């Protein structure tokens, strides 16, 4: 069998999500180093990687004005010289620099995941702040895991000998010393049956290890506002899913806002990183809200019990049909696609990026009793009056209704959880995180305005310096390139001043979506057709898509990075590799996701990162989101995600280099997405000279 395309197209790791252009950075558009996400149907997610820089448009200088209120004139000028762009331009790619190896599950995920309580994480944004004001408001730019099953059983031995042959004389003479437990013993046994604990090593490295404290409620009642206190010899460096104090050999844990209730038959997992190695009897004399609890300790070398049917690491290749030969059955290709995308992490991601039909979305309006569940949850937290208060300087196009419609499109955003996680608390945290994004990326950043800077978000709609009639911007439009073949650029019609010239895909909307290779996948996710937004890119600014693009980015992963949703709701649990890089749950890691190449990893907090922290704290306070003292809010000294992290997931199809008529999952962007059903067969057909048939003759 011969390959149609013997010369492998080298693609850049940070493509799709890597090209969000932001405004409000230094008064102008900064190009976000985070990127735009893929899409639920197409899945061609753009990965943030600071290897290659996108071109930066020339813009004018900011002109201060005395205007107030909503400004949305797309003609405002701003200095765009500080285009902070952590993205890659496909034209410059020479190698696959951030290929995700699809290390889909960490040891903790494979072996001992409990009901993951949502991490105390938030989102962050991308641009530098400035005191200059543009003349107009244009735009800038969670367990089924091996639940602790060592349920304590009550002593049910009956009075008499073990063989049940006690004589009447014995029974008559020793009634007071039967084997029935005393009241005190009953109480001890009852307590022992209430809660089960486990201390599990999840990962190790030279200087430390990662572990999880797991608590399972085996009673019939919920435990409210739990508190755990133990004698401890742990040298903890970071801890998530709880607040903690460690001093004088005592460890005290209290809940964060979303896991204060431990429901009956549910579990919670508290992760931590520590120095050295796990000592024996690390947690002793433990008290859980007045109940004694013992922690069974699992050694790093001891095999962890795995839940049946839950071992789907992508390191273990699933069995796929033999597709060698000149003719291949379509059913075999469909079966191969299903097998190769059957991992647990892949399933969780697909669930997170699922979308609703647009008819349902268009019907959404404030206080409509027919609104979807997740929309009603948002409305209960954020009213239209709240929207107006938080975003008084927004462009007119950013309406409350459009935000509700954007939420409606993605059911997982502020969606329900059936494992004990607090959906309302997660929603509040998600909103605070996203709004902090908005403010950094599209905010006025103007100190002399009467509104505090955290209330200046959504000021920009279109990238500063660009208008709808400007041609040939932000596109890989050469029809000879695979990018243009996959996401063809539109041209202006006859009669237009730019007739025949390519339309521009500059930054639009709250996420400043940029480039045709982002507009196409986003269009596929929104409409099932890549061409809708390629032909009409202005819709990303003028319709509810201006806010949907931000939700799209929020729920999509950027391999090897997890999605911000999975960080916040606790689905993402850092493994040893992540912990060694300082990637721990908290607001800071979301800054790493968005613009880590520019803002993270230094010895001190970058000014843009500090802006995000300030905005998040203020908005969180307004939305009644509690921020634990232990939460890591910044990303100084935090290294970048890589393909060995817990969030690494290969989501694109590339031709297999070892198997005939087959494709493999890779972590760099290609024209074929694992999120788009049928793309596996398209990949095989594209790369191999093979006949694909429905039935063998």
């Amino acid at each position: 069998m011969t390959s149609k395309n013997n010369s492998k197209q080298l693609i850049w790791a940070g493509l799709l999500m890597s090209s969000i252009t932001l405004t409000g950075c230094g008064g102008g558009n900064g190009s976000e180093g985070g990127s735009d996400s893929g899409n639920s149907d197409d899945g061609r997610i753009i990965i943030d990687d600071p290897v290659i820089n996108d071109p930066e448009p020339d813009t004018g200088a900011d002109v201060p004005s005395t205007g107030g209120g909503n400004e949305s004139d797309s003609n405002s000028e701003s200095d765009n010289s500080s285009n902070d762009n952590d993205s890659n331009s496909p034209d410059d790619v020479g190698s696959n620099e951030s290929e995700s190896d699809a290390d889909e599950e960490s040891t903790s995920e494979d072996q001992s995941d409990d009901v993951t309580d949502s991490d105390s994480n938030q989102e962050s944004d991308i641009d530098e702040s400035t005191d200059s004001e543009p003349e107009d408001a244009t735009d800038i730019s969670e367990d089924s895991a091996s639940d602790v099953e060592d349920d304590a059983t009550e002593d049910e031995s009956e009075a008499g000998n073990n063989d049940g042959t006690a004589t009447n004389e014995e029974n008559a003479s020793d009634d007071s010393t039967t084997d029935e437990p005393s009241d005190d013993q009953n109480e001890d046994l009852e307590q022992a049956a209430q809660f089960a604990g486990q201390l599990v090593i999840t990962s190790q490295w030279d200087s430390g290890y990662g572990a999880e404290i797991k608590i399972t409620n085996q009673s019939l009642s919920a435990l409210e506002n739990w508190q755990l206190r133990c004698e401890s010899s742990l040298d903890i460096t970071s801890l998530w899913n709880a607040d903690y104090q460690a001093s004088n050999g005592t460890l005290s844990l209290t809940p964060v806002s979303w896991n204060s209730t431990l429901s009956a038959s549910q579990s919670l997992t508290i992760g931590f990183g520590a120095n050295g190695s796990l000592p024996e009897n690390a947690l002793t004399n433990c008290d859980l809200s007045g109940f004694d609890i013992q922690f069974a300790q699992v050694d790093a070398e001891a095999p962890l019990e795995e839940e049946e049917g839950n071992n789907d690491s992508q390191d273990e290749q699933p069995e796929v049909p033999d597709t060698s030969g000149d003719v291949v059955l379509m059913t075999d290709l469909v079966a191969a696609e299903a097998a190769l995308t059957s991992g647990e992490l892949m399933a969780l991601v697909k669930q997170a990026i699922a979308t609703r039909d647009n008819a349902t979305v268009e019907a959404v309006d404030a206080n409509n009793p027919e609104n979807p569940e997740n929309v009603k949850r948002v409305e209960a937290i954020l009213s239209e009056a709240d929207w107006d208060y938080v975003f008084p300087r927004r462009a007119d196009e950013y309406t409350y209704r459009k935000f509700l419609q954007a939420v409606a499109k993605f059911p997982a955003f502020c969606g329900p959880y059936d494992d004990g996680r607090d959906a309302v608390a997660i929603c509040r945290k998600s909103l605070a995180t996203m709004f902090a994004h908005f403010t950094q990326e599209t905010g006025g950043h103007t100190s002399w305005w009467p509104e505090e800077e955290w209330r200046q978000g959504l000021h920009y709609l279109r990238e500063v310096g660009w208008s709808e009639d400007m041609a040939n911007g932000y596109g890989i439009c050469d029809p000879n390139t695979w990018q243009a073949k996959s996401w063809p650029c539109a041209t202006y019609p006859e009669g237009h001043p730019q007739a025949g010239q390519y339309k521009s895909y500059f930054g639009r909307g709250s996420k400043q979506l940029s480039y045709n290779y982002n507009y196409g996948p986003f269009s596929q996710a929104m409409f099932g057709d890549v061409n809708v937004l390629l032909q009409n890119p202005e819709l990303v600014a003028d319709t509810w898509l201006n806010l949907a693009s931000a939700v799209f980015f929020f729920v999509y992963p950027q391999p090897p990075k997890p999605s911000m949703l999975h960080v916040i709701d606790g689905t993402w649990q850092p493994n040893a590799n992540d912990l060694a890089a300082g990637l721990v749950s908290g607001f800071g890691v979301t800054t790493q996701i968005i613009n880590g190449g520019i803002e993270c990893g230094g010895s001190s907090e970058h000014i843009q990162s500090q802006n995000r922290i300030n905005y998040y704290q203020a908005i969180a306070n307004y939305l009644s989101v509690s921020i634990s003292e232990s939460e890591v809010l910044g990303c100084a000294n935090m290294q970048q995600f890589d393909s060995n992290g817990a969030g690494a997931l290969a989501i694109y199809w590339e031709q297999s280099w070892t198997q005939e008529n087959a494709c493999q999952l890779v972590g760099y962007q290609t024209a074929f997405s694992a999120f788009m059903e049928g793309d596996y067969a398209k990949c095989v057909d594209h790369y191999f000279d093979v006949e694909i048939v429905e039935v063998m003759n």
Side-chain angles (χ1 to χ4, degrees):
M1 203 54 32
T2 60
S3 170
K4 294 181 182 177
N5 301 273
N6 293 324
S7 60
K8 180 179 180 182
Q9 171 72 51
L10 295 180
I11 323 168
W12 47 161
L15 180 56
L16 188 55
M17 302 250 186
S18 62
S19 61
I20 298 179
T21 305
L22 306 177
T23 305
C25 173
N29 297 337
S31 191
E32 173 172 355
S35 71
D36 303 331
S37 41
N39 67 59
S40 61
D41 296 320
D42 183 310
R44 296 180 180 91
I45 299 172
I46 297 182
I47 305 165
D48 168 21
D49 203 306
V51 178
I52 302 170
N53 293 324
D54 291 334
E56 301 179 3
D58 295 330
T59 60
D62 289 344
V63 180
S65 77
T66 58
N70 297 333
E71 304 174 356
S72 61
D73 187 348
S74 64
N75 295 323
S76 96
E77 297 180 354
S78 177
D79 182 4
N80 197 35
S81 61
S82 57
N83 222 5
D84 295 334
N85 190 356
D86 201 5
S87 65
N88 302 323
S89 171
D91 287 335
D92 299 332
V93 175
S95 63
N96 303 326
E97 304 220 13
S98 68
E99 176 173 348
S100 160
D101 292 339
D103 293 336
E104 171 178 339
E105 301 169 353
S106 64
T107 305
S108 60
E109 288 174 329
D110 288 339
Q111 301 168 341
S112 60
D113 286 335
D114 285 339
V115 174
T116 54
D117 304 295
S118 59
D119 296 359
S120 50
N121 297 312
Q122 285 74 19
E123 227 173 69
S124 48
D125 315 37
I126 305 173
D127 307 320
E128 299 179 51
S129 68
T130 181
D131 285 349
S132 60
E133 177 192 13
E135 188 174 289
D136 299 313
T138 55
D139 320 54
I140 20 180
S141 350
E142 174 206 336
D143 289 338
S144 72
S146 52
D147 283 1
V148 181
E149 296 180 356
D150 47 341
D151 297 348
T153 57
E154 296 188 9
D155 186 355
E156 297 179 352
S157 60
E158 299 179 354
N161 295 333
N162 291 337
D163 60 3
T165 58
T167 64
N168 290 336
E169 179 179 352
E170 289 173 324
N171 288 329
S173 63
D174 198 21
D175 285 344
S176 63
T177 58
T178 63
D179 288 344
E180 292 184 7
S182 66
D183 290 342
D184 288 342
Q185 289 173 321
N186 271 324
E187 183 177 351
D188 291 343
L189 289 168
E190 182 179 350
Q191 283 197 2
Q194 297 292 311
F195 301 96
Q198 194 172 33
L199 180 58
V200 183
I201 281 278
T202 59
S203 54
Q204 287 185 309
W205 55 94
D206 290 342
S207 60
Y209 62 97
E212 294 175 340
I213 297 171
K214 301 185 176 184
I215 304 171
T216 300
N217 184 351
Q218 301 175 155
S219 73
L220 300 178
S221 302
L223 180 64
E224 304 281 352
N225 298 316
W226 57 268
Q227 297 184 34
L228 178 65
R229 180 183 175 90
C230 300
E231 293 180 6
S232 169
S233 54
L234 298 171
D235 184 10
I236 295 176
T237 57
S238 62
L239 184 144
W240 49 96
N241 293 343
D243 290 328
Y244 81 102
Q245 290 185 340
S247 63
N248 300 322
T250 299
L251 175 66
S252 298
L253 303 179
T254 53
V256 289
S257 60
W258 60 86
N259 64 2
S260 60
T261 298
L262 180 54
S263 301
S265 302
Q266 296 291 342
S267 301
L268 67 83
T269 300
I270 301 161
F272 68 89
N275 290 323
S277 58
L278 183 67
E280 294 184 5
N281 302 317
L283 296 177
T284 58
N285 298 324
C286 294
D287 176 277
L288 178 66
S289 297
F291 293 93
D292 292 335
I293 182 171
Q294 295 183 347
F295 285 88
Q297 194 162 310
V298 181
D299 246 2
E301 291 78 12
L304 300 177
E305 293 184 3
E306 293 183 349
E307 184 178 27
E308 289 186 19
N310 198 35
N311 185 8
D312 57 5
S313 169
Q314 288 192 2
D315 289 335
E316 298 183 8
Q317 294 299 316
E319 292 186 11
V320 298
D322 180 9
T323 54
S324 60
D326 295 329
V327 181
V328 176
L329 278 171
M330 176 62 78
T331 53
D332 285 344
L333 298 180
V334 171
E337 180 177 38
L340 292 169
T341 59
S342 62
E344 182 183 10
L345 182 56
M346 181 72 77
L348 290 170
V349 169
K350 286 184 175 181
Q351 181 182 21
I353 66 177
T355 59
R356 286 192 176 94
D357 64 277
N358 286 344
T360 299
V361 172
E362 295 287 355
V364 166
D365 203 350
N367 302 315
N368 184 343
E370 300 301 318
N371 284 345
E373 178 185 0
N374 65 322
V375 175
K376 291 180 179 179
R377 184 171 291 113
V378 169
E379 290 182 279
I381 296 170
L382 184 84
S383 68
E384 187 164 7
D386 292 323
W387 178 262
D388 292 340
Y389 180 80
V390 176
F391 301 111
R393 287 276 182 166
R394 70 183 185 276
D396 291 337
E397 290 84 350
Y398 293 123
T399 68
Y400 182 65
R401 182 188 180 195
K402 287 176 182 176
F403 180 63
L404 297 182
Q405 290 174 314
V407 171
K409 186 64 179 179
F410 297 91
F413 183 80
C414 286
Y417 294 87
D418 59 5
D419 53 16
R421 285 181 287 180
D422 188 333
V424 173
I426 293 171
C427 183
R428 288 183 185 275
K429 205 168 189 70
S430 296
L431 291 172
T433 296
M434 179 175 287
F435 292 175
H437 255 320
F438 290 171
T439 306
Q440 177 60 28
E441 297 173 1
T442 64
H445 304 290
T446 304
S447 62
W448 61 77
W449 287 356
E451 300 87 359
E452 304 95 326
E453 285 195 25
W454 69 270
R455 296 178 58 216
Q456 297 177 14
L458 298 179
H459 185 66
Y460 296 97
L461 183 63
R462 289 176 175 82
E463 183 178 345
V464 171
W466 288 85
S467 69
E468 295 299 340
D469 291 332
M470 298 176 69
N472 301 320
Y474 288 82
I476 298 178
C477 300
D478 182 347
N480 294 316
T481 64
W482 72 267
Q483 294 92 346
K485 291 177 181 178
S486 300
W487 308 294
C489 300
T491 58
Y492 288 101
E494 291 185 11
H496 191 280
Q498 302 289 350
Q501 298 296 305
Y502 290 119
K503 292 188 175 182
S504 295
Y505 302 96
F506 54 81
R508 295 177 175 92
S510 57
K511 207 58 191 146
Q512 291 293 284
L513 193 71
S514 306
Y515 288 97
N516 61 314
Y517 54 78
N518 285 323
Y519 276 74
F522 181 51
S523 182
Q524 179 70 50
M526 299 298 98
F527 301 101
D529 183 349
V530 301
N531 289 302
V532 174
L533 296 181
L534 290 171
Q535 292 290 327
N536 306 282
E538 69 278 1
L539 295 177
V540 178
D542 298 332
T543 72
W544 57 269
L545 297 173
N546 60 24
L547 290 158
S549 57
V551 184
F552 173 79
F553 176 79
F554 188 87
V555 301
Y556 267 78
Q558 304 169 56
K561 306 174 183 181
S563 71
M564 285 180 283
L565 174 62
H566 279 176
V567 167
I568 291 173
D569 73 8
T571 299
W572 176 73
Q573 292 292 315
N575 63 13
N577 188 77
D578 296 321
L579 293 172
L583 299 166
V584 298
S585 299
F587 183 78
V589 81
T590 64
T591 300
Q592 177 63 265
I593 289 174
I594 294 173
N595 202 29
I598 292 176
E599 300 182 32
C600 303
S603 59
S604 60
E605 211 63 57
H606 192 284
I607 185 173
Q608 294 174 222
S609 174
Q610 188 59 56
N611 284 343
R612 306 189 206 289
I613 295 170
N614 297 340
Y615 301 151
Y616 171 70
Q617 290 174 319
I619 297 171
N621 180 64
Y622 182 80
L623 295 179
S624 300
V625 177
S626 64
I627 302 177
S628 69
E629 294 182 0
S630 62
E631 182 178 348
V632 178
L633 299 180
C635 62
N637 300 308
M638 187 180 288
Q639 303 307 305
Q640 301 218 15
F641 288 88
D642 63 29
S643 60
N644 293 316
L649 179 67
I651 60 175
Y652 301 104
W653 295 116
E654 170 70 281
Q655 69 180 104
S656 172
W657 308 109
T658 60
Q659 186 176 351
E660 219 176 12
N661 304 330
C663 286
Q664 60 182 333
L665 285 166
V666 296
Y668 51 86
Q669 189 188 23
T670 73
F672 310 105
S673 168
F675 298 148
M676 189 66 184
E677 187 175 340
D679 266 18
Y680 181 84
K682 292 179 182 178
C683 176
V684 171
D685 184 54
H686 176 76
Y687 286 112
F688 298 93
D689 185 14
V690 61
E691 181 181 2
I692 301 174
V693 300
E694 297 293 336
V695 180
M696 284 290 189
N697 294 326

